[in-house]
Structure formats: structure tokens, C-alpha cells
Amino acid sequence: MNRIKSLTKKLKAFDVVAICFSIFLILLHIIFYSKIENPIRWIFVNLLVISIAFAISYLEAASEKKVWRIVHYWYIAPIILLTFRQLFFLVKPIRVYDYDSWFIAADRFLFGTDPTHFLHQFSSPVVTEILQIVYGMFYMLPIILGLSLLNKDRFVALDFALFSVIYGFFLSYLGYFALPGIGPRFTLHDFNLINESLPGLYFTNHLREMTNTGEGIPFGTLNPAEVVQRDVFPSGHTMITLIVVYLSIRLRSRSRYFFIPIGTLLIFSTVYLRYHYVIDLIGGLLLMIFSLWSGKIFFNWWRRKIGKELFEYEKH
């Protein structure tokens, strides 16, 4: 028991969140075993994630080599992508009903129209190209913030920033289970004609195809609306982008001068490019506020448990 307690104390807060979410996914695979494709494989994958989190935490604590600190900070990136992919096999079988009609009704109540249709009158290939490129930069934003803090050896701030991003990702994933949806590019527009109705210049079609493939609908997929990932509400792009922008400002990182304009364009692009309803963005904003508030409480609770200095924006 003491050995387990000692090993647990080597975990960082973001390790704890990753482990807890992996346990949550394992339980879902067990409870809905008969509805999910290859549940044994995914249970094994989640057990592997838990093992890796403990192993890397131990290796960093036991070794003086800086390489393990670097590995500890960055191993979580593929875990986030792997978990997102896993949701493709979970949300639809467990939550068979989509709530797009609710989101459409909410937007029409707020604006009197469908925002994606309204924005179409202002579209142009140049604007579409720029926004599709910015949209594709989403996963780079947390990495840039992390590198800017790592470059200044601000390790406590980096721990908190990584935790906040990872915690935010997992909270948004819970939203996909609560209110699954497929988005306006399927419900309000013809998905198969989007390259013609909203054309770009050089990279737009390729970037769209990369996004589609990541959501389980590579080119040629039959009935894409039936199999696409249910990841509309809340808008994870909005939520995580706002977290990164907020942290860059509160942590006084020079990267804020990059994040503020790029983040604004990225959030706007989610509606312009027809990936999200506006209500998804509002949901992302509200969940971002909750995430940062509750996340700081949890982060410092764990720091206290392992005997580390508490995080404060002004000090770190």
C-alpha cells in the first residue's frame, strides 16, 4: 500500500485527469459491452494509457535526465487524439439520438435565422481559405503555449496550463455524450456540395478532407451523416482556444499577441465553415469558465496532496 501511495504521489495533476477519464471509458465499455465495436481492444488501450501515465511519472521522478521531463509533458498529446478517436466508437452506440434540432432552434431563437446561411452571403474564396487554414491550426495552439512556457523554464505554470487544456478537452468530451450532434454542414447544408458552395483557393479542400478523415468520414464514405463523429456541443475548438488565450494573458506570455487574433479568427471560422452552430460556441464559453474555475481548485488540491507549492497566476 505504501508503495502504491508513493507511486501515486509522483503523478502530475494532468496524469490524474487522464487516468480518471481512462477509468471512466473502461466502465463505459463494460456497461455497454454488447453495443460497442471491439470493446476488449479499447479496454486494453485504456489500461495501457493508465500504465504509461504511471511509468512516465515514475521515470521522471527516478531519473535526473531532462528527457523524461520532456516526455512527461508531451506524452499526453497523442493520448488526447487517441481518446477523441475512441469517442467515435462510443457516443453513437450509447447515445443514439442526435440533438441538432435543439441547436438549430436555439440559434433561430437567438438570431431569427440560421447563422451559417446568414454568413454565406459574405463568403469568398479568399476568406474561406484563410479561415480553413486557421481552423486547421487548432491543435497547434496548446503546443505553442506549452513551448513558450517551457522556453522560460516556467514549470509550475506549464503544469497548470497543460492540466487546464487536458481537463478542458475531457470536459468537452463529456458534453458529446450529453448532447450529441453532427452540425450544420449536414443538417442545414448539403455536405456533398460544400466544396462547390463554399470554395477556397489552394488548400481548403485538402484541409477539409483531413478534418473529415479525423472525424471518421474519409472521401467516399457512404451516408457520412450517419457515421460522422458526434462532437458538436460544446464547441471544443471554442472552449480550448479560449482557455489558451486566457492562460496566455493571465500568465503574461508573449504568445498572447499571436493567440488573440488567431483565436478570434478560429472561433469565427467554426460557424463560417459550417462545423458548429452558434449555441455550440456559447456552450464552449460557459464550459471554459467552469473548467478554469474548477480546474484551478482541483489542480491546487492535488498539489497540496503531493506536497507541492500551490499555483497562483501572479507568482508563476
Side-chain angles (χ1 to χ4, degrees):
M1 183 63 69
N2 288 336
R3 185 177 181 85
I4 294 175
K5 186 175 181 180
S6 175
L7 186 60
T8 301
K9 283 193 171 186
K10 293 177 173 58
L11 298 172
K12 293 182 182 292
F14 59 78
D15 296 315
V16 177
V17 173
I19 290 170
C20 289
F21 201 78
S22 293
I23 293 172
F24 167 72
L25 293 176
I26 288 172
L27 292 175
L28 287 182
H29 284 294
I30 293 173
I31 295 170
F32 298 98
Y33 186 89
S34 61
K35 296 183 178 181
I36 298 169
E37 183 181 348
N38 295 320
I40 295 296
R41 178 185 67 183
W42 286 112
I43 290 172
F44 173 78
V45 167
N46 286 296
L47 289 173
L48 183 62
V49 169
I50 294 170
S51 301
I52 290 172
F54 274 104
I56 292 177
S57 299
Y58 172 79
L59 289 169
E60 184 196 354
S63 174
E64 296 182 358
K65 296 181 179 179
K66 291 184 178 180
V67 64
W68 289 115
R69 171 178 282 179
I70 303 300
V71 171
H72 198 175
Y73 281 133
W74 298 113
Y75 89 96
I76 203 72
I79 300 301
I80 291 292
L81 296 175
L82 179 65
T83 304
F84 179 77
R85 181 58 182 166
Q86 188 175 169
L87 299 185
F88 178 82
F89 299 94
L90 281 170
V91 177
K92 179 64 174 176
I94 295 173
R95 302 283 288 153
V96 297
Y97 181 76
D98 295 328
Y99 289 82
D100 289 86
S101 60
W102 289 22
F103 307 142
I104 293 170
D107 272 9
R108 289 175 179 173
F109 174 78
L110 291 171
F111 304 102
T113 186
D114 298 311
T116 55
H117 282 298
F118 174 77
L119 290 175
H120 181 68
Q121 63 186 307
F122 306 107
S123 66
S124 74
V126 173
V127 173
T128 302
E129 183 84 359
I130 292 171
L131 292 180
Q132 192 72 57
I133 291 171
V134 171
Y135 184 87
M137 295 171 61
F138 169 64
Y139 285 107
M140 292 300 298
L141 301 189
I143 294 174
I144 293 171
L145 177 61
L147 288 173
S148 68
L149 296 173
L150 184 62
N151 186 54
K152 299 293 184 179
D153 292 335
R154 298 176 63 185
F155 297 116
V156 178
L158 177 56
D159 282 359
F160 179 71
L162 287 179
F163 165 81
S164 298
V165 169
I166 294 158
Y167 182 59
F169 266 117
F170 289 150
L171 284 180
S172 71
Y173 293 169
L174 292 178
Y176 303 158
F177 283 104
L179 294 171
I182 57 178
R185 58 187 169 143
F186 295 101
T187 58
L188 298 176
H189 304 270
D190 189 333
F191 174 77
N192 295 311
L193 297 178
I194 193 168
N195 288 340
E196 290 76 29
S197 63
L198 196 64
L201 296 175
Y202 305 107
F203 302 108
T204 294
N205 290 1
H206 299 292
L207 292 171
R208 276 188 186 137
E209 187 57 35
M210 289 174 62
T211 299
N212 293 341
T213 301
E215 295 189 329
I217 48 171
F219 181 77
T221 300
L222 299 176
N223 300 317
E226 291 298 316
V227 298
V228 69
Q229 190 129 349
R230 268 60 186 166
D231 60 350
V232 170
F233 186 89
S235 168
H237 277 66
T238 298
M239 181 182 177
I240 301 303
T241 298
L242 288 174
I243 287 175
V244 170
V245 171
Y246 179 85
L247 290 176
S248 70
I249 295 171
R250 288 299 308 272
L251 295 172
R252 306 172 305 282
S253 170
R254 290 184 178 180
S255 60
R256 66 186 182 275
Y257 299 115
F258 170 78
F259 289 135
I260 292 173
I262 293 298
T264 301
L265 288 175
L266 196 155
I267 292 169
F268 176 74
S269 75
T270 63
V271 178
Y272 176 94
L273 296 172
R274 306 174 182 174
Y275 291 111
H276 284 284
Y277 310 98
V278 174
I279 194 64
D280 303 335
L281 278 59
I282 296 172
L285 169 62
L286 295 176
L287 201 55
M288 166 264 190
I289 295 171
F290 172 79
S291 174
L292 287 171
W293 169 75
S294 61
K296 188 168 183 285
I297 294 173
F298 178 86
F299 182 83
N300 278 335
W301 170 81
W302 184 252
R303 297 277 295 184
R304 194 178 294 111
K305 291 280 289 184
I306 61 177
K308 299 287 187 179
E309 179 186 10
L310 301 187
F311 168 78
E312 294 296 340
Y313 287 108
E314 294 75 16
K315 291 175 59 179
H316 300 100

